[in-house]
Amino acid sequence: MQTRKHNIITLCTRGITLALGMCLVGGLSVISSAHAASPVKALEERDVYYPGSEDLASDEMRVIACGTGMPNARPKQAAACWLVELGNGDKFLFDIGSGSSERISALKIPYDYLDKVFIGHLHSDHFGDLGDLWIGGVIGNRIKPLRVWGPSGHKPEFGTKYALSHMEKMFTWDSGSRLGNVDIRGQVLEVNEFDYKAVNKEIYNENGVSIRTIPAIHALDGPVSFILEWNGLKFAYSSDTFPNKWWMEHTKGADIAIHECFITPNDLVKKQKWTPGAALNVGTQVHTSPAQFGKVMSAIKPRLAVAYHFFNDFDTAPNVEKMVRTTYDGPLALAVDYMVFNITKDNIRVRMAVIDKDIWPQPAVGKKLPPDASKRIGFSEFITNGRVPFKDVVDKIYSDINKKYGTNIPTPK
Ligand SMILES: [Zn+2]
Ligand SMILES: [Zn+2]
């Protein structure tokens, strides 16, 4: 049904509510309702999501698109990243592609709650911002380890453990610089590598949440897809994959099925100047084309099919939708960043988030410890001797702060 309320048109079909212009759905019928408009009262309901402003019901799942684009992050779309929030208080990130850490910050969630990341494969557009979340989380107040799950590879050096141990090494200077300057308990990385060939194997089971892995087929051995189940709700996320038998078998009837859907080969040639050969290979063999995506969704019949991993613009979305609709006529959303899905057993509501660009990291939930200055690595004598301290100015800053907060912190020598 279609409802007009407060100048916002929403589309409802098969228990799915979507804000117009953001999603495309099939099989719509129309009704109308009227609320008395007022020149002085707030609107009764705003069909958008303001981060941090809504309770999540105990039986509800909220999924937020934090990256829906292609390998090159752009202002409108970061690369792959999906946040799943559950009514039991758990939050999970699936993939953490380039540019997505900015989207995550915008959601006003204390970093303490963002400590679980599941990586589908080790392409930069699926884990390029892991370093940002890890280190940014330390600065942004996460005071517990960052837990990461990711697949093995066909050789150890193609696996998640290898990649993350080298990421830690890459950040040696960064990590060292924070010793003694901030609370570094969040600097610990917990890496959980699992077999990429495992079929429907549970890799996580805590607090009533089960996460299973199935192999994906993409570029090289190693990629996987994930299935999260909680409270009778099933979330399936492909990361990147060519259509495959494991997805078809194990994601059937998902409440929300997020599957990659690459841009059409024709648009790859037209917009990105690819050769037809490269466009056909990448667009239909390395990735899933829109018509293949439709076939996949027709086979698994989710309550809502979500297509992502393409630049979703006025001139590309119609081509994607047209091709999907040659093979699938069920509920469909073409994802863009900040699309929000509220899922219960009875309803799926799809809206866009309204983002505050001035957002700051939220305070830590746990108590922060003062930095332990004895851990500081410090400067060489050569660099120390180059300091110009402006002692009169800094003394005043220390004395003002001490007065304001009742502290007695001496100015360092
Ligand atoms: Zn990939
Ligand atoms: Zn990708």
Side-chain angles (χ1 to χ4, degrees):
M1 64 186 168
Q2 177 170 321
T3 314
R4 180 179 291 277
K5 43 188 174 184
H6 314 306
N7 300 324
I8 295 170
I9 298 172
T10 60
L11 307 173
C12 312
T13 180
R14 298 192 206 174
I16 298 175
T17 312
L18 304 106
L20 183 67
M22 296 150 193
C23 312
L24 303 160
V25 294
L28 304 171
S29 59
V30 180
I31 62 154
S32 65
S33 73
H35 291 293
S38 163
V40 291
K41 297 280 187 199
L43 296 177
E44 200 170 272
E45 187 188 348
R46 285 146 288 194
D47 204 17
V48 290
Y49 173 68
Y50 294 97
S53 71
E54 288 180 16
D55 294 346
L56 198 56
S58 61
D59 63 345
E60 192 176 11
M61 174 189 285
R62 180 165 57 212
V63 177
I64 303 184
C66 297
T68 58
M70 294 166 72
N72 301 88
R74 61 175 188 158
K76 181 172 162 181
Q77 287 175 284
C81 180
W82 293 84
L83 171 71
V84 177
E85 299 178 277
L86 304 178
N88 70 357
D90 282 338
K91 299 183 196 297
F92 302 87
L93 286 161
F94 288 90
D95 281 339
I96 174 94
S98 318
S100 60
S101 62
E102 177 193 314
R103 271 62 173 145
I104 293 165
S105 297
L107 300 177
K108 303 192 180 185
I109 298 170
Y111 280 83
D112 309 64
Y113 296 143
L114 298 170
D115 66 337
K116 293 182 275 299
V117 186
F118 289 75
I119 297 171
H121 65 294
L122 297 165
H123 266 152
S124 65
D125 61 316
H126 293 257
F127 88 124
D129 265 16
L130 183 64
D132 275 12
L133 179 74
W134 176 44
I135 302 288
V138 177
I139 306 160
N141 294 327
R142 191 188 62 247
I143 57 175
K144 46 187 177 176
L146 183 65
R147 307 174 69 192
V148 184
W149 285 258
S152 60
H154 70 288
K155 291 178 181 172
E157 59 268 38
F158 285 78
T160 302
K161 227 188 257 176
Y162 178 91
L164 268 57
S165 71
H166 283 72
M167 182 184 82
E168 279 190 274
K169 288 192 186 104
M170 183 177 93
F171 283 103
T172 300
W173 189 93
D174 185 299
S175 304
S177 76
R178 303 189 192 287
L179 291 174
N181 289 320
V182 290
D183 184 343
I184 53 156
R185 283 174 293 168
Q187 217 159 278
V188 178
L189 263 184
E190 177 198 304
V191 184
N192 303 283
E193 183 176 291
F194 56 84
D195 180 6
Y196 74 93
K197 287 182 177 163
V199 177
N200 206 33
K201 187 182 169 210
E202 190 172 69
I203 52 167
Y204 178 97
N205 189 338
E206 292 177 24
N207 205 16
V209 183
S210 166
I211 298 176
R212 287 174 289 129
T213 175
I214 50 175
I217 303 177
H218 172 65
L220 274 179
D221 269 37
V224 299
S225 303
F226 295 110
I227 301 153
L228 177 152
E229 285 187 272
W230 166 75
N231 191 40
L233 295 174
K234 184 170 175 177
F235 159 96
Y237 173 59
S238 76
S239 194
D240 282 356
T241 192
F242 185 80
N244 70 72
K245 63 179 186 181
W246 302 290
W247 176 275
M248 304 286 227
E249 185 180 345
H250 296 289
T251 68
K252 278 199 168 65
D255 294 276
I256 180 168
I258 302 167
H259 194 287
E260 71 140 294
C261 175
F262 220 62
I263 203 147
T264 61
N266 191 43
D267 277 333
L268 282 171
V269 175
K270 222 170 67 192
K271 305 270 292 187
Q272 277 201 303
K273 310 298 176 216
W274 288 26
T275 63
L280 283 169
N281 178 46
V282 175
T284 72
Q285 304 300 315
V286 179
H287 288 283
T288 296
S289 72
Q292 290 165 299
F293 169 94
K295 281 280 200 190
V296 167
M297 291 305 173
S298 287
I300 68 161
K301 296 189 176 24
R303 278 174 71 205
L304 177 63
V306 180
Y308 92 106
H309 213 306
F310 65 96
F311 286 156
N312 187 344
D313 293 334
F314 72 94
D315 57 347
T316 56
N319 303 333
V320 169
E321 191 207 1
K322 197 169 115 198
M323 293 309 294
V324 172
R325 287 306 185 201
T326 62
T327 51
Y328 174 64
D329 64 359
L332 170 69
L334 302 185
V336 290
D337 289 18
Y338 297 128
M339 193 176 274
V340 180
F341 308 80
N342 285 73
I343 302 154
T344 60
K345 289 196 176 105
D346 306 322
N347 191 44
I348 299 179
R349 184 180 192 197
V350 187
R351 294 171 292 170
M352 292 298 295
V354 177
I355 297 308
D356 168 13
K357 288 190 176 167
D358 294 329
I359 180 65
W360 281 52
Q362 301 300 294
V365 179
K367 193 171 178 329
K368 289 193 85 177
L369 298 176
D372 178 357
S374 70
K375 295 260 159 51
R376 224 171 263 165
I377 293 175
F379 293 106
S380 66
E381 203 182 332
F382 172 79
I383 291 296
T384 303
N385 288 339
R387 298 180 84 227
V388 183
F390 294 123
K391 195 164 180 334
D392 53 335
V393 175
V394 177
D395 276 347
K396 172 138 178 35
I397 297 171
Y398 270 71
S399 113
D400 287 351
I401 289 283
N402 280 330
K403 205 164 14 171
K404 184 160 187 180
Y405 294 102
T407 50
N408 190 23
I409 304 165
T411 316
K413 292 206 177 65

